[in-house]
Amino acid sequence: MNSRLTLAPKPTLRKGMQLTRVLLADDDPTARLTLQAVLEAGGYNVDSAASAAEAMQKLDSQEYALVLSDRDMEMPDSGLRVLAHARTMLYRPAMALINTQSDGLPAQSAEAEAARKPVQIELEDIPELLSQVADLIGRRVNRQARREARAAC
C-alpha cells in the first residue's frame, strides 16, 4: 500500500493580485514553521524571522500588512522591540504578540496591549487564529482608508 501525504495547493490568484504579506517572528523553529504553514494554508504570503534583528531587517526591506512576533525570542521582550520597530514604518502594519510557549501568559495584539485588553491566540484553534489574523488586517485596511479619505479632503 502506497500512502502519501498530500498538501493542499497554494491559493492561486488572477494576474496582478497578491496575497496579503505577513511577517512572523519566532525563535522556536517548530512554532515558526507550524504557524507559517497554517497562515500559508489560510491564504497569506508569510515571511519568517528567527530573531528580532532578522525581523527588523525584513521590516525595513518589505511592506507587511501584519507583523506577528513572539514576545520572548532570543531575549525577554525581543518581540516588543520588533513591534516598536514596526510602529516606525510608514506603511503602518497591524501588529500582534503571539504566545507560542505554554507559560500561561496570553498573547496580545499591540493595540490591545496598549489598552491593556488581552487577546488570547490559541494555536490549537486554527479557525480562531485565522479569524483574528483577518480581523487585525481588516482593521489596518480600515485605518488606511480613513487616513486616505482625510488626506483627500
Side-chain angles (χ1 to χ4, degrees):
M1 180 177 198
N2 185 6
S3 62
R4 215 166 127 179
L5 177 64
T6 305
L7 297 176
K10 284 195 172 190
T12 58
L13 298 173
R14 289 179 286 187
K15 188 175 179 180
M17 293 182 71
Q18 294 182 346
L19 295 175
T20 300
R21 187 177 285 286
V22 174
L23 176 61
L24 172 62
D26 195 329
D27 63 338
D28 177 354
T30 302
R32 186 176 62 251
L33 293 172
T34 301
L35 269 173
Q36 182 172 356
V38 166
L39 291 168
E40 287 175 346
Y44 297 98
N45 183 352
V46 181
D47 289 342
S48 64
S51 69
E54 183 183 1
M56 288 185 267
Q57 181 181 28
K58 288 184 181 223
L59 283 164
D60 290 338
S61 64
Q62 293 284 332
E63 184 171 322
Y64 295 95
L66 175 64
V67 177
L68 296 173
S69 181
D70 185 32
R71 185 188 63 216
D72 299 324
M73 288 187 282
E74 65 272 14
M75 295 177 15
D77 294 334
S78 292
L80 293 175
R81 287 195 344 254
V82 170
L83 297 187
H85 188 75
R87 279 188 201 96
T88 68
M89 299 293 105
L90 294 177
Y91 57 86
R92 298 182 180 186
M95 298 171 282
L97 284 175
I98 54 174
N99 183 21
T100 59
Q101 304 295 322
S102 57
D103 59 9
L105 296 174
Q108 298 182 2
S109 74
E111 296 163 344
E113 184 175 79
R116 296 290 180 217
K117 296 179 184 174
V119 174
Q120 182 75 36
I121 297 178
E122 294 290 339
L123 300 182
E124 295 81 23
D125 189 354
I126 292 172
E128 179 62 22
L129 168 71
L130 293 174
S131 174
Q132 288 181 341
V133 165
D135 182 56
L136 285 167
I137 292 169
R139 283 190 266 162
R140 175 185 181 255
V141 169
N142 287 337
R143 284 192 309 270
Q144 283 181 319
R146 284 193 303 269
R147 278 193 302 274
E148 289 173 4
R150 282 193 300 260
C153 294

